Amino acid sequence: MRFHWTRFALATGFALIEHGRNRFAMVLVTLFVPLWTTLAFVAMPDTPAHMRLRATGETLAPHGNELTELSGALNAVTLITGFMMFAATFSGNSFDRRLAMAGYPRAHLVLAKVTALALISAAVAAYATAVTCLAWTPRQPLLLAAALFGAGLTYGALGVGFGSVLHREVEGMFAIVMTSIIDLALQNPVTSSGADNPLTRYLPSYGAMQASTAAGFSTSPVPRHLAIQFTWFAGAALIALVGFRRSTRSTLPVTAQPPDPKPRNGDFSLPAPRRTAEPSASLSDTETP
Amino acid sequence: MEVRDVHHAYRRRVVLRGVDLRLRAGVLCGIVGENGAGKSTLLKILSGELRPSHGTVRHGGRFGYCPQHVVLNDALTVRQHLRFLQKAYRLTDLRYAEQVMDVLGFAGYADERAGILSGGTRQKLNVTLALMHDPQVLLLDEPYQGFDWDTYQRFWDLAVRLRDAGRSVLVVSHLAYDTERLDELWRLDGGLLHPDRVEGA
């Protein structure tokens, strides 16, 4: 048990250190979330937007600026987690491969990445919920935080997937931004007349959008739509996992690298130089075929 | 390490046409070849990073691989890299790694982040990560890139010491410098390995 725990804890700690050293992401979290959500709240008109919420079947008339603020919070959370996970995967892929080939258990590396993603998503979702609550009062703040958390997880997993298959950083950033724009713009009743189209229920943040709208303007629980969001996360995570397995596999026969059954003790040491003269001098007593 | 009839092609471009190699214990072996001769492809296959189109590779024990391009995590310090690989290799301590660092002359950088190290120091860490579990078979792809002359000399000294202790060391390079330090020298040409003369043998 200790074997598993130490490897999981070390990999998780290093994954968090890596995210923490992504200064641009830290600035985005600190500034982009309040900036985007506040601008959406202040700049949009507060005229009621009539809409039918599929999750509860209710007809709602939320203020346009509050609805857009929710969409902005989802947008900010998904872009940040997607970007952070993409950046970590893109830059860390080769080193993960090196670790796996050297014998680091891949399951522990994967679990560590998922744990780091969950902690980041939870922190960003809590922050975005708090910022939202400063501007107006959603009916169910905890549900809002859960919806943002689910969307953050999903985009984080998509970021890992993009990081595994794309070859340039700009490609990954473009993929994440475009996915988020299409995903959220189509669902926003303020900006899209097609928000009621049945196709929107297949979008990556559909469950989170429904749940967060219910959290903002309704008192009904929406467990099914939260579940839809977590199913999206599970699907995206599965694809990311397949990508990770592919990029860290070894082509050598399994029997070719017998792992040491016991940890090697540290009593081995570098052999002493045969002579201390110039290194090339050692060749005089080197046998060559 | 035993390599038998390894072929490889990238789509229609054939790179390796039947490479055979047997690396015995206690041998310091070199493979040279011009740019694009397929050296890195061969080493990727030997290290398990790439599956050959045809042929087999077998390793007989612990092995270490130092890739041509430095593979580090820029966010982590030198010490954090060592701790990560210590768990991967299942080592109880880092004494051997510290000895290698001393030989290569970068023990003072243990708490520096990899991302801010100079190119030569990054390469020293790259080599150390491949060596720190005392591999029986060691594959090194252009291992002395970015080394200053003094480090270059100490690197060869280290390679000879490992050979003398019974390890198999394979160094791949595009230049046939210092071939007099090698026990065996092969030239990769036309997708095949040809025995080459060892200078000063």
Side-chain angles (χ1 to χ4, degrees), chain B residues 58-91:
Chain B
R58 292 193 190 284
H59 290 276
R62 297 186 306 279
F63 90 101
Y65 170 50
C66 180
Q68 179 180 5
H69 299 291
V70 173
V71 176
L72 304 173
N73 186 328
D74 285 350
L76 301 181
T77 65
V78 171
R79 197 187 303 281
Q80 286 166 339
H81 277 87
L82 298 180
R83 285 179 56 207
F84 230 155
L85 269 297
Q86 178 189 2
K87 291 291 178 212
Y89 294 134
R90 304 188 190 189
L91 307 173

PDB file of all heavy atoms in Angstrom, chain B residues 58-91:
ATOM      1  N   ARG B  58      16.242  -7.457 -27.969  1.00  0.00           N
ATOM      2  CA  ARG B  58      16.141  -8.045 -26.625  1.00  0.00           C
ATOM      3  C   ARG B  58      17.196  -7.440 -25.714  1.00  0.00           C
ATOM      4  O   ARG B  58      18.349  -7.312 -26.099  1.00  0.00           O
ATOM      5  CB  ARG B  58      16.337  -9.561 -26.677  1.00  0.00           C
ATOM      6  CG  ARG B  58      15.209 -10.260 -27.379  1.00  0.00           C
ATOM      7  CD  ARG B  58      15.231 -11.766 -27.176  1.00  0.00           C
ATOM      8  NE  ARG B  58      14.265 -12.384 -28.065  1.00  0.00           N
ATOM      9  CZ  ARG B  58      12.955 -12.363 -27.848  1.00  0.00           C
ATOM     10  NH1 ARG B  58      12.474 -11.787 -26.770  1.00  0.00           N
ATOM     11  NH2 ARG B  58      12.132 -12.925 -28.706  1.00  0.00           N
ATOM     12  N   HIS B  59      16.761  -7.071 -24.509  1.00  0.00           N
ATOM     13  CA  HIS B  59      17.693  -6.555 -23.506  1.00  0.00           C
ATOM     14  C   HIS B  59      17.822  -7.588 -22.404  1.00  0.00           C
ATOM     15  O   HIS B  59      16.842  -8.206 -22.027  1.00  0.00           O
ATOM     16  CB  HIS B  59      17.143  -5.280 -22.858  1.00  0.00           C
ATOM     17  CG  HIS B  59      17.117  -4.110 -23.763  1.00  0.00           C
ATOM     18  ND1 HIS B  59      18.207  -3.314 -23.960  1.00  0.00           N
ATOM     19  CD2 HIS B  59      16.142  -3.602 -24.534  1.00  0.00           C
ATOM     20  CE1 HIS B  59      17.891  -2.358 -24.812  1.00  0.00           C
ATOM     21  NE2 HIS B  59      16.641  -2.501 -25.178  1.00  0.00           N
ATOM     22  N   GLY B  60      19.020  -7.729 -21.905  1.00  0.00           N
ATOM     23  CA  GLY B  60      19.209  -8.694 -20.833  1.00  0.00           C
ATOM     24  C   GLY B  60      19.455  -8.023 -19.502  1.00  0.00           C
ATOM     25  O   GLY B  60      20.499  -8.232 -18.908  1.00  0.00           O
ATOM     26  N   GLY B  61      18.554  -7.205 -19.037  1.00  0.00           N
ATOM     27  CA  GLY B  61      18.731  -6.589 -17.713  1.00  0.00           C
ATOM     28  C   GLY B  61      18.338  -5.128 -17.709  1.00  0.00           C
ATOM     29  O   GLY B  61      17.731  -4.638 -18.649  1.00  0.00           O
ATOM     30  N   ARG B  62      18.730  -4.453 -16.602  1.00  0.00           N
ATOM     31  CA  ARG B  62      18.391  -3.026 -16.485  1.00  0.00           C
ATOM     32  C   ARG B  62      19.012  -2.260 -17.644  1.00  0.00           C
ATOM     33  O   ARG B  62      20.159  -2.514 -18.008  1.00  0.00           O
ATOM     34  CB  ARG B  62      18.969  -2.446 -15.194  1.00  0.00           C
ATOM     35  CG  ARG B  62      18.462  -3.019 -13.921  1.00  0.00           C
ATOM     36  CD  ARG B  62      19.014  -2.240 -12.729  1.00  0.00           C
ATOM     37  NE  ARG B  62      20.458  -2.134 -12.714  1.00  0.00           N
ATOM     38  CZ  ARG B  62      21.261  -3.094 -12.288  1.00  0.00           C
ATOM     39  NH1 ARG B  62      20.775  -4.234 -11.854  1.00  0.00           N
ATOM     40  NH2 ARG B  62      22.571  -2.904 -12.290  1.00  0.00           N
ATOM     41  N   PHE B  63      18.248  -1.346 -18.196  1.00  0.00           N
ATOM     42  CA  PHE B  63      18.902  -0.526 -19.211  1.00  0.00           C
ATOM     43  C   PHE B  63      18.536   0.935 -19.056  1.00  0.00           C
ATOM     44  O   PHE B  63      17.509   1.291 -18.491  1.00  0.00           O
ATOM     45  CB  PHE B  63      18.631  -1.081 -20.616  1.00  0.00           C
ATOM     46  CG  PHE B  63      17.412  -0.537 -21.292  1.00  0.00           C
ATOM     47  CD1 PHE B  63      17.534   0.442 -22.254  1.00  0.00           C
ATOM     48  CD2 PHE B  63      16.158  -1.020 -20.981  1.00  0.00           C
ATOM     49  CE1 PHE B  63      16.414   0.937 -22.892  1.00  0.00           C
ATOM     50  CE2 PHE B  63      15.043  -0.533 -21.607  1.00  0.00           C
ATOM     51  CZ  PHE B  63      15.164   0.456 -22.568  1.00  0.00           C
ATOM     52  N   GLY B  64      19.441   1.763 -19.527  1.00  0.00           N
ATOM     53  CA  GLY B  64      19.241   3.199 -19.446  1.00  0.00           C
ATOM     54  C   GLY B  64      19.342   3.793 -20.830  1.00  0.00           C
ATOM     55  O   GLY B  64      20.128   3.329 -21.654  1.00  0.00           O
ATOM     56  N   TYR B  65      18.533   4.799 -21.079  1.00  0.00           N
ATOM     57  CA  TYR B  65      18.497   5.411 -22.407  1.00  0.00           C
ATOM     58  C   TYR B  65      18.560   6.919 -22.253  1.00  0.00           C
ATOM     59  O   TYR B  65      17.758   7.508 -21.538  1.00  0.00           O
ATOM     60  CB  TYR B  65      17.205   4.986 -23.109  1.00  0.00           C
ATOM     61  CG  TYR B  65      16.916   5.734 -24.396  1.00  0.00           C
ATOM     62  CD1 TYR B  65      17.878   5.874 -25.388  1.00  0.00           C
ATOM     63  CD2 TYR B  65      15.650   6.274 -24.625  1.00  0.00           C
ATOM     64  CE1 TYR B  65      17.604   6.544 -26.567  1.00  0.00           C
ATOM     65  CE2 TYR B  65      15.356   6.943 -25.805  1.00  0.00           C
ATOM     66  CZ  TYR B  65      16.340   7.071 -26.770  1.00  0.00           C
ATOM     67  OH  TYR B  65      16.056   7.738 -27.934  1.00  0.00           O
ATOM     68  N   CYS B  66      19.530   7.521 -22.916  1.00  0.00           N
ATOM     69  CA  CYS B  66      19.640   8.978 -22.904  1.00  0.00           C
ATOM     70  C   CYS B  66      19.275   9.489 -24.297  1.00  0.00           C
ATOM     71  O   CYS B  66      20.042   9.310 -25.242  1.00  0.00           O
ATOM     72  CB  CYS B  66      21.072   9.381 -22.545  1.00  0.00           C
ATOM     73  SG  CYS B  66      21.274  11.162 -22.519  1.00  0.00           S
ATOM     74  N   PRO B  67      18.091  10.086 -24.435  1.00  0.00           N
ATOM     75  CA  PRO B  67      17.659  10.521 -25.763  1.00  0.00           C
ATOM     76  C   PRO B  67      18.472  11.712 -26.262  1.00  0.00           C
ATOM     77  O   PRO B  67      19.057  12.455 -25.468  1.00  0.00           O
ATOM     78  CB  PRO B  67      16.193  10.911 -25.555  1.00  0.00           C
ATOM     79  CG  PRO B  67      16.060  11.182 -24.101  1.00  0.00           C
ATOM     80  CD  PRO B  67      17.108  10.375 -23.394  1.00  0.00           C
ATOM     81  N   GLN B  68      18.490  11.875 -27.580  1.00  0.00           N
ATOM     82  CA  GLN B  68      19.258  12.966 -28.193  1.00  0.00           C
ATOM     83  C   GLN B  68      18.734  14.322 -27.739  1.00  0.00           C
ATOM     84  O   GLN B  68      19.506  15.208 -27.388  1.00  0.00           O
ATOM     85  CB  GLN B  68      19.170  12.846 -29.715  1.00  0.00           C
ATOM     86  CG  GLN B  68      19.926  13.950 -30.429  1.00  0.00           C
ATOM     87  CD  GLN B  68      19.829  13.814 -31.942  1.00  0.00           C
ATOM     88  OE1 GLN B  68      19.124  12.958 -32.462  1.00  0.00           O
ATOM     89  NE2 GLN B  68      20.549  14.647 -32.639  1.00  0.00           N
ATOM     90  N   HIS B  69      17.396  14.482 -27.771  1.00  0.00           N
ATOM     91  CA  HIS B  69      16.822  15.735 -27.306  1.00  0.00           C
ATOM     92  C   HIS B  69      16.595  15.621 -25.810  1.00  0.00           C
ATOM     93  O   HIS B  69      16.068  14.615 -25.335  1.00  0.00           O
ATOM     94  CB  HIS B  69      15.507  16.020 -28.025  1.00  0.00           C
ATOM     95  CG  HIS B  69      15.696  16.156 -29.505  1.00  0.00           C
ATOM     96  ND1 HIS B  69      16.363  17.212 -30.063  1.00  0.00           N
ATOM     97  CD2 HIS B  69      15.349  15.340 -30.527  1.00  0.00           C
ATOM     98  CE1 HIS B  69      16.408  17.050 -31.370  1.00  0.00           C
ATOM     99  NE2 HIS B  69      15.806  15.925 -31.682  1.00  0.00           N
ATOM    100  N   VAL B  70      16.985  16.638 -25.091  1.00  0.00           N
ATOM    101  CA  VAL B  70      16.882  16.618 -23.637  1.00  0.00           C
ATOM    102  C   VAL B  70      15.407  16.444 -23.242  1.00  0.00           C
ATOM    103  O   VAL B  70      14.550  17.198 -23.688  1.00  0.00           O
ATOM    104  CB  VAL B  70      17.444  17.935 -23.064  1.00  0.00           C
ATOM    105  CG1 VAL B  70      17.187  18.023 -21.581  1.00  0.00           C
ATOM    106  CG2 VAL B  70      18.925  18.040 -23.371  1.00  0.00           C
ATOM    107  N   VAL B  71      15.130  15.411 -22.448  1.00  0.00           N
ATOM    108  CA  VAL B  71      13.753  15.153 -22.015  1.00  0.00           C
ATOM    109  C   VAL B  71      13.658  15.392 -20.512  1.00  0.00           C
ATOM    110  O   VAL B  71      14.030  14.543 -19.705  1.00  0.00           O
ATOM    111  CB  VAL B  71      13.315  13.713 -22.379  1.00  0.00           C
ATOM    112  CG1 VAL B  71      11.926  13.431 -21.836  1.00  0.00           C
ATOM    113  CG2 VAL B  71      13.323  13.528 -23.879  1.00  0.00           C
ATOM    114  N   LEU B  72      13.199  16.576 -20.163  1.00  0.00           N
ATOM    115  CA  LEU B  72      13.065  16.974 -18.758  1.00  0.00           C
ATOM    116  C   LEU B  72      11.711  17.635 -18.569  1.00  0.00           C
ATOM    117  O   LEU B  72      11.014  17.920 -19.545  1.00  0.00           O
ATOM    118  CB  LEU B  72      14.173  17.972 -18.386  1.00  0.00           C
ATOM    119  CG  LEU B  72      15.621  17.539 -18.609  1.00  0.00           C
ATOM    120  CD1 LEU B  72      16.553  18.716 -18.361  1.00  0.00           C
ATOM    121  CD2 LEU B  72      15.988  16.374 -17.701  1.00  0.00           C
ATOM    122  N   ASN B  73      11.353  17.896 -17.324  1.00  0.00           N
ATOM    123  CA  ASN B  73      10.162  18.688 -17.037  1.00  0.00           C
ATOM    124  C   ASN B  73      10.657  20.050 -16.524  1.00  0.00           C
ATOM    125  O   ASN B  73      11.188  20.139 -15.418  1.00  0.00           O
ATOM    126  CB  ASN B  73       9.297  17.982 -15.990  1.00  0.00           C
ATOM    127  CG  ASN B  73       7.990  18.706 -15.773  1.00  0.00           C
ATOM    128  OD1 ASN B  73       7.918  19.931 -15.885  1.00  0.00           O
ATOM    129  ND2 ASN B  73       6.943  17.955 -15.471  1.00  0.00           N
ATOM    130  N   ASP B  74      10.470  21.080 -17.341  1.00  0.00           N
ATOM    131  CA  ASP B  74      11.062  22.383 -17.032  1.00  0.00           C
ATOM    132  C   ASP B  74      10.567  22.992 -15.724  1.00  0.00           C
ATOM    133  O   ASP B  74      11.221  23.872 -15.164  1.00  0.00           O
ATOM    134  CB  ASP B  74      10.776  23.370 -18.182  1.00  0.00           C
ATOM    135  CG  ASP B  74      11.650  23.067 -19.390  1.00  0.00           C
ATOM    136  OD1 ASP B  74      12.575  22.248 -19.249  1.00  0.00           O
ATOM    137  OD2 ASP B  74      11.396  23.655 -20.457  1.00  0.00           O
ATOM    138  N   ALA B  75       9.409  22.539 -15.232  1.00  0.00           N
ATOM    139  CA  ALA B  75       8.856  23.124 -14.006  1.00  0.00           C
ATOM    140  C   ALA B  75       9.511  22.543 -12.753  1.00  0.00           C
ATOM    141  O   ALA B  75       9.393  23.107 -11.668  1.00  0.00           O
ATOM    142  CB  ALA B  75       7.351  22.894 -13.953  1.00  0.00           C
ATOM    143  N   LEU B  76      10.199  21.404 -12.903  1.00  0.00           N
ATOM    144  CA  LEU B  76      10.739  20.715 -11.717  1.00  0.00           C
ATOM    145  C   LEU B  76      12.234  21.017 -11.558  1.00  0.00           C
ATOM    146  O   LEU B  76      12.938  21.263 -12.541  1.00  0.00           O
ATOM    147  CB  LEU B  76      10.529  19.207 -11.844  1.00  0.00           C
ATOM    148  CG  LEU B  76       9.078  18.742 -11.997  1.00  0.00           C
ATOM    149  CD1 LEU B  76       9.024  17.224 -12.094  1.00  0.00           C
ATOM    150  CD2 LEU B  76       8.218  19.223 -10.839  1.00  0.00           C
ATOM    151  N   THR B  77      12.693  20.959 -10.314  1.00  0.00           N
ATOM    152  CA  THR B  77      14.117  21.175 -10.049  1.00  0.00           C
ATOM    153  C   THR B  77      14.898  19.893 -10.371  1.00  0.00           C
ATOM    154  O   THR B  77      14.311  18.827 -10.588  1.00  0.00           O
ATOM    155  CB  THR B  77      14.362  21.523  -8.574  1.00  0.00           C
ATOM    156  OG1 THR B  77      13.998  20.388  -7.785  1.00  0.00           O
ATOM    157  CG2 THR B  77      13.553  22.725  -8.128  1.00  0.00           C
ATOM    158  N   VAL B  78      16.213  20.035 -10.364  1.00  0.00           N
ATOM    159  CA  VAL B  78      17.083  18.884 -10.599  1.00  0.00           C
ATOM    160  C   VAL B  78      16.781  17.792  -9.571  1.00  0.00           C
ATOM    161  O   VAL B  78      16.607  16.614  -9.896  1.00  0.00           O
ATOM    162  CB  VAL B  78      18.566  19.314 -10.518  1.00  0.00           C
ATOM    163  CG1 VAL B  78      19.483  18.104 -10.528  1.00  0.00           C
ATOM    164  CG2 VAL B  78      18.903  20.260 -11.665  1.00  0.00           C
ATOM    165  N   ARG B  79      16.677  18.197  -8.303  1.00  0.00           N
ATOM    166  CA  ARG B  79      16.432  17.223  -7.232  1.00  0.00           C
ATOM    167  C   ARG B  79      15.072  16.527  -7.416  1.00  0.00           C
ATOM    168  O   ARG B  79      14.942  15.330  -7.186  1.00  0.00           O
ATOM    169  CB  ARG B  79      16.480  17.924  -5.865  1.00  0.00           C
ATOM    170  CG  ARG B  79      16.658  16.959  -4.698  1.00  0.00           C
ATOM    171  CD  ARG B  79      16.519  17.667  -3.361  1.00  0.00           C
ATOM    172  NE  ARG B  79      17.428  18.780  -3.173  1.00  0.00           N
ATOM    173  CZ  ARG B  79      18.708  18.647  -2.830  1.00  0.00           C
ATOM    174  NH1 ARG B  79      19.205  17.446  -2.630  1.00  0.00           N
ATOM    175  NH2 ARG B  79      19.478  19.702  -2.670  1.00  0.00           N
ATOM    176  N   GLN B  80      14.074  17.302  -7.841  1.00  0.00           N
ATOM    177  CA  GLN B  80      12.750  16.710  -8.062  1.00  0.00           C
ATOM    178  C   GLN B  80      12.778  15.698  -9.208  1.00  0.00           C
ATOM    179  O   GLN B  80      12.117  14.652  -9.147  1.00  0.00           O
ATOM    180  CB  GLN B  80      11.717  17.815  -8.328  1.00  0.00           C
ATOM    181  CG  GLN B  80      11.351  18.578  -7.051  1.00  0.00           C
ATOM    182  CD  GLN B  80      10.598  19.868  -7.308  1.00  0.00           C
ATOM    183  OE1 GLN B  80      10.653  20.433  -8.395  1.00  0.00           O
ATOM    184  NE2 GLN B  80       9.905  20.347  -6.293  1.00  0.00           N
ATOM    185  N   HIS B  81      13.575  15.981 -10.241  1.00  0.00           N
ATOM    186  CA  HIS B  81      13.748  14.990 -11.317  1.00  0.00           C
ATOM    187  C   HIS B  81      14.337  13.694 -10.750  1.00  0.00           C
ATOM    188  O   HIS B  81      13.883  12.595 -11.065  1.00  0.00           O
ATOM    189  CB  HIS B  81      14.703  15.531 -12.392  1.00  0.00           C
ATOM    190  CG  HIS B  81      14.049  16.426 -13.385  1.00  0.00           C
ATOM    191  ND1 HIS B  81      13.892  17.770 -13.189  1.00  0.00           N
ATOM    192  CD2 HIS B  81      13.494  16.166 -14.593  1.00  0.00           C
ATOM    193  CE1 HIS B  81      13.282  18.303 -14.232  1.00  0.00           C
ATOM    194  NE2 HIS B  81      13.021  17.360 -15.096  1.00  0.00           N
ATOM    195  N   LEU B  82      15.358  13.859  -9.918  1.00  0.00           N
ATOM    196  CA  LEU B  82      16.024  12.670  -9.367  1.00  0.00           C
ATOM    197  C   LEU B  82      15.057  11.872  -8.497  1.00  0.00           C
ATOM    198  O   LEU B  82      15.026  10.646  -8.552  1.00  0.00           O
ATOM    199  CB  LEU B  82      17.259  13.081  -8.552  1.00  0.00           C
ATOM    200  CG  LEU B  82      18.374  13.792  -9.322  1.00  0.00           C
ATOM    201  CD1 LEU B  82      19.525  14.150  -8.391  1.00  0.00           C
ATOM    202  CD2 LEU B  82      18.895  12.927 -10.466  1.00  0.00           C
ATOM    203  N   ARG B  83      14.240  12.582  -7.691  1.00  0.00           N
ATOM    204  CA  ARG B  83      13.284  11.872  -6.819  1.00  0.00           C
ATOM    205  C   ARG B  83      12.236  11.143  -7.645  1.00  0.00           C
ATOM    206  O   ARG B  83      11.818  10.033  -7.313  1.00  0.00           O
ATOM    207  CB  ARG B  83      12.622  12.873  -5.856  1.00  0.00           C
ATOM    208  CG  ARG B  83      13.549  13.295  -4.728  1.00  0.00           C
ATOM    209  CD  ARG B  83      12.882  14.296  -3.828  1.00  0.00           C
ATOM    210  NE  ARG B  83      11.629  13.809  -3.294  1.00  0.00           N
ATOM    211  CZ  ARG B  83      10.626  14.600  -2.919  1.00  0.00           C
ATOM    212  NH1 ARG B  83      10.742  15.905  -3.013  1.00  0.00           N
ATOM    213  NH2 ARG B  83       9.523  14.088  -2.420  1.00  0.00           N
ATOM    214  N   PHE B  84      11.796  11.778  -8.739  1.00  0.00           N
ATOM    215  CA  PHE B  84      10.809  11.136  -9.621  1.00  0.00           C
ATOM    216  C   PHE B  84      11.385   9.837 -10.203  1.00  0.00           C
ATOM    217  O   PHE B  84      10.774   8.772 -10.143  1.00  0.00           O
ATOM    218  CB  PHE B  84      10.464  12.093 -10.773  1.00  0.00           C
ATOM    219  CG  PHE B  84       8.978  12.284 -10.990  1.00  0.00           C
ATOM    220  CD1 PHE B  84       8.485  13.435 -11.589  1.00  0.00           C
ATOM    221  CD2 PHE B  84       8.062  11.311 -10.618  1.00  0.00           C
ATOM    222  CE1 PHE B  84       7.129  13.630 -11.805  1.00  0.00           C
ATOM    223  CE2 PHE B  84       6.696  11.490 -10.828  1.00  0.00           C
ATOM    224  CZ  PHE B  84       6.235  12.647 -11.427  1.00  0.00           C
ATOM    225  N   LEU B  85      12.596   9.942 -10.761  1.00  0.00           N
ATOM    226  CA  LEU B  85      13.210   8.762 -11.388  1.00  0.00           C
ATOM    227  C   LEU B  85      13.631   7.730 -10.342  1.00  0.00           C
ATOM    228  O   LEU B  85      13.665   6.536 -10.624  1.00  0.00           O
ATOM    229  CB  LEU B  85      14.402   9.182 -12.248  1.00  0.00           C
ATOM    230  CG  LEU B  85      14.137   9.491 -13.732  1.00  0.00           C
ATOM    231  CD1 LEU B  85      13.641   8.245 -14.458  1.00  0.00           C
ATOM    232  CD2 LEU B  85      13.123  10.590 -13.935  1.00  0.00           C
ATOM    233  N   GLN B  86      13.930   8.203  -9.123  1.00  0.00           N
ATOM    234  CA  GLN B  86      14.270   7.265  -8.039  1.00  0.00           C
ATOM    235  C   GLN B  86      13.096   6.310  -7.805  1.00  0.00           C
ATOM    236  O   GLN B  86      13.283   5.105  -7.658  1.00  0.00           O
ATOM    237  CB  GLN B  86      14.560   8.058  -6.757  1.00  0.00           C
ATOM    238  CG  GLN B  86      14.873   7.170  -5.561  1.00  0.00           C
ATOM    239  CD  GLN B  86      14.944   7.950  -4.243  1.00  0.00           C
ATOM    240  OE1 GLN B  86      14.721   9.164  -4.215  1.00  0.00           O
ATOM    241  NE2 GLN B  86      15.234   7.252  -3.175  1.00  0.00           N
ATOM    242  N   LYS B  87      11.876   6.864  -7.800  1.00  0.00           N
ATOM    243  CA  LYS B  87      10.685   6.017  -7.606  1.00  0.00           C
ATOM    244  C   LYS B  87      10.481   5.111  -8.807  1.00  0.00           C
ATOM    245  O   LYS B  87      10.051   3.961  -8.664  1.00  0.00           O
ATOM    246  CB  LYS B  87       9.444   6.886  -7.387  1.00  0.00           C
ATOM    247  CG  LYS B  87       9.444   7.638  -6.072  1.00  0.00           C
ATOM    248  CD  LYS B  87       9.291   6.686  -4.899  1.00  0.00           C
ATOM    249  CE  LYS B  87       9.332   7.439  -3.581  1.00  0.00           C
ATOM    250  NZ  LYS B  87       9.920   6.637  -2.517  1.00  0.00           N
ATOM    251  N   ALA B  88      10.750   5.653 -10.014  1.00  0.00           N
ATOM    252  CA  ALA B  88      10.562   4.839 -11.219  1.00  0.00           C
ATOM    253  C   ALA B  88      11.514   3.639 -11.210  1.00  0.00           C
ATOM    254  O   ALA B  88      11.121   2.518 -11.488  1.00  0.00           O
ATOM    255  CB  ALA B  88      10.788   5.695 -12.456  1.00  0.00           C
ATOM    256  N   TYR B  89      12.769   3.893 -10.855  1.00  0.00           N
ATOM    257  CA  TYR B  89      13.782   2.826 -10.851  1.00  0.00           C
ATOM    258  C   TYR B  89      13.773   2.006  -9.560  1.00  0.00           C
ATOM    259  O   TYR B  89      14.529   1.051  -9.431  1.00  0.00           O
ATOM    260  CB  TYR B  89      15.180   3.430 -11.013  1.00  0.00           C
ATOM    261  CG  TYR B  89      15.468   4.089 -12.346  1.00  0.00           C
ATOM    262  CD1 TYR B  89      16.074   5.335 -12.406  1.00  0.00           C
ATOM    263  CD2 TYR B  89      15.180   3.448 -13.543  1.00  0.00           C
ATOM    264  CE1 TYR B  89      16.381   5.941 -13.618  1.00  0.00           C
ATOM    265  CE2 TYR B  89      15.474   4.050 -14.762  1.00  0.00           C
ATOM    266  CZ  TYR B  89      16.076   5.286 -14.793  1.00  0.00           C
ATOM    267  OH  TYR B  89      16.377   5.877 -15.997  1.00  0.00           O
ATOM    268  N   ARG B  90      12.969   2.431  -8.600  1.00  0.00           N
ATOM    269  CA  ARG B  90      12.886   1.755  -7.284  1.00  0.00           C
ATOM    270  C   ARG B  90      14.222   1.743  -6.557  1.00  0.00           C
ATOM    271  O   ARG B  90      14.716   0.688  -6.131  1.00  0.00           O
ATOM    272  CB  ARG B  90      12.378   0.316  -7.436  1.00  0.00           C
ATOM    273  CG  ARG B  90      11.044   0.239  -8.138  1.00  0.00           C
ATOM    274  CD  ARG B  90      10.525  -1.159  -8.089  1.00  0.00           C
ATOM    275  NE  ARG B  90       9.369  -1.312  -8.945  1.00  0.00           N
ATOM    276  CZ  ARG B  90       8.612  -2.383  -8.978  1.00  0.00           C
ATOM    277  NH1 ARG B  90       8.909  -3.412  -8.218  1.00  0.00           N
ATOM    278  NH2 ARG B  90       7.578  -2.446  -9.773  1.00  0.00           N
ATOM    279  N   LEU B  91      14.824   2.895  -6.449  1.00  0.00           N
ATOM    280  CA  LEU B  91      16.090   3.019  -5.722  1.00  0.00           C
ATOM    281  C   LEU B  91      15.802   3.486  -4.303  1.00  0.00           C
ATOM    282  O   LEU B  91      14.900   4.305  -4.096  1.00  0.00           O
ATOM    283  CB  LEU B  91      16.998   4.040  -6.406  1.00  0.00           C
ATOM    284  CG  LEU B  91      17.254   3.827  -7.894  1.00  0.00           C
ATOM    285  CD1 LEU B  91      18.024   5.011  -8.472  1.00  0.00           C
ATOM    286  CD2 LEU B  91      18.030   2.549  -8.113  1.00  0.00           C
TER     287      LEU B  91
END
